[in-house]
Amino acid sequence: MKVVGLVSGGKDSCYNLIQCVKNGHELVALLNLYPPIDSDGDELDSYMYQTVGHQALESYSKAMDLPLFRHPITGKPLVQEMNYEHSEENDEVEDLYRALKTIQEKIHFDAISVGAILSNYQRTRAENVCKRLGIKMLCYLWERDQLVLLKEMIDEGIEAIIIKVAAMGLNPHDHLGKTLAEMYPILLELNQKYGINVCGEGGEYETLTLDCPLFKNKLVIEDKEIIMHSEDAFAPVGYLKPLKVKVIPK
């Protein structure tokens, strides 16, 4: 099938694209949903989308040599029941619907790639949008063993850095900017010690992929800023904001 990849910049969305290609599908475009310019800051109160690090997503078109469509997130998580029914035009799910509808008018595609692992909330909403548009959803990471999955991502060449932390044992000043490979033993230790989710599915951390086997060029963050949300003594919350991103040949 011809596939549009939903990309947030995170490791999961990129790794699911790799699985799509391994299973014989063709990537024809990328879609990123991002905070509108007039929003308050870099991170929205979204149940659907990762928005931290969105400044780097403009570079994904050059990195993967694919057309990139970007759509502002204007809606809010208004419908919070597990099974989503289209009833609120201002729900954030409708931003995904409108974005894909616009792409349908420009290029042909049969499916979307979604990097969901455990969130039924995200999965049921993506399925709802696909059903309404007459397309399929490819979700190869769904309910995978996360210890196995994280190691597999690292071994297969996902070069992603930690871009947000929000969990006991993770510290913005120590861990932001470190790669998954560097963080792997730390995440395993924190999983055993505190029970944190090693893939970050509980919101413990978020990532930004700078290189992977599908990238023809890789990303380099040349300038950045660390922004603190909370200086909590046990679980400080902070994120890395890319200020200057360069695309270089591999």
Side-chain angles (χ1 to χ4, degrees):
M1 291 187 286
K2 294 185 182 298
V3 178
V4 169
L6 305 191
V7 288
S8 64
K11 65 185 185 335
D12 304 333
S13 59
C14 285
Y15 194 57
N16 200 70
L17 292 180
I18 292 174
Q19 301 311 306
C20 287
V21 173
K22 279 189 173 184
N23 281 273
H25 305 297
E26 177 190 358
L27 301 179
V28 295
L30 305 172
L31 171 61
N32 170 247
L33 289 100
Y34 67 98
I37 295 173
D38 59 354
S39 65
D40 296 327
D42 305 303
E43 186 175 29
L44 298 180
D45 184 19
S46 170
Y47 294 3
M48 279 289 291
Y49 313 111
Q50 172 184 317
T51 55
V52 172
H54 67 89
Q55 297 86 355
L57 267 293
E58 283 288 358
S59 302
Y60 267 52
S61 180
K62 289 182 180 179
M64 298 187 68
D65 193 23
L66 286 170
L68 170 70
F69 296 88
R70 302 196 79 197
H71 185 90
I73 303 166
T74 59
K76 305 290 184 185
L78 300 177
V79 182
Q80 296 187 12
E81 292 80 6
M82 189 57 66
N83 293 318
Y84 180 80
E85 294 294 337
H86 171 217
S87 59
E88 292 278 358
E89 286 297 332
N90 292 326
D91 191 277
E92 63 179 351
V93 175
E94 298 311 303
D95 288 311
L96 177 60
Y97 175 82
R98 285 188 284 269
L100 289 170
K101 183 76 171 173
T102 299
I103 298 174
Q104 272 190 332
E105 295 167 359
K106 297 178 179 179
I107 61 174
H108 169 73
F109 64 97
D110 310 293
I112 59 172
S113 168
V114 177
I117 299 175
L118 271 183
S119 174
N120 275 303
Y121 185 95
Q122 294 174 346
R123 181 183 59 82
T124 57
R125 280 153 176 75
E127 285 176 341
N128 176 279
V129 168
C130 287
K131 183 177 180 181
R132 288 155 59 194
L133 291 172
I135 58 177
K136 304 292 185 183
M137 182 176 78
L138 299 176
C139 197
Y140 290 105
L141 313 188
W142 184 248
E143 293 188 336
R144 289 279 313 274
D145 180 302
Q146 291 178 56
L147 286 169
V148 174
L149 182 59
L150 183 61
K151 184 67 163 57
E152 190 175 287
M153 288 183 187
I154 295 168
D155 290 345
E156 292 206 24
I158 292 283
E159 294 185 19
I161 59 169
I162 303 294
I163 198 170
K164 180 185 176 183
V165 295
M168 188 174 292
L170 293 175
N171 188 294
H173 302 292
D174 295 332
H175 299 132
L176 290 177
K178 289 192 178 297
T179 65
L180 278 182
E182 291 172 320
M183 289 297 296
Y184 182 69
I186 297 170
L187 293 171
L188 292 188
E189 181 183 349
L190 293 178
N191 171 257
Q192 294 172 352
K193 194 171 182 179
Y194 301 121
I196 77 163
N197 189 302
V198 293
C199 281
E201 284 295 286
E204 293 90 345
Y205 70 91
E206 291 179 354
T207 58
L208 177 64
T209 303
L210 302 179
D211 193 12
C212 81
L214 297 181
F215 281 20
K216 296 179 172 58
N217 302 288
K218 65 181 181 179
L219 277 54
V220 175
I221 298 178
E222 294 192 317
D223 194 14
K224 61 185 182 296
E225 178 184 3
I226 291 179
I227 297 175
M228 296 299 297
H229 268 325
S230 164
E231 293 279 5
D232 184 271
F234 297 103
V237 179
Y239 66 90
L240 185 154
K241 178 179 181 177
L243 298 177
K244 185 178 180 182
V245 178
K246 186 177 182 180
V247 181
I248 63 173
K250 294 173 67 169

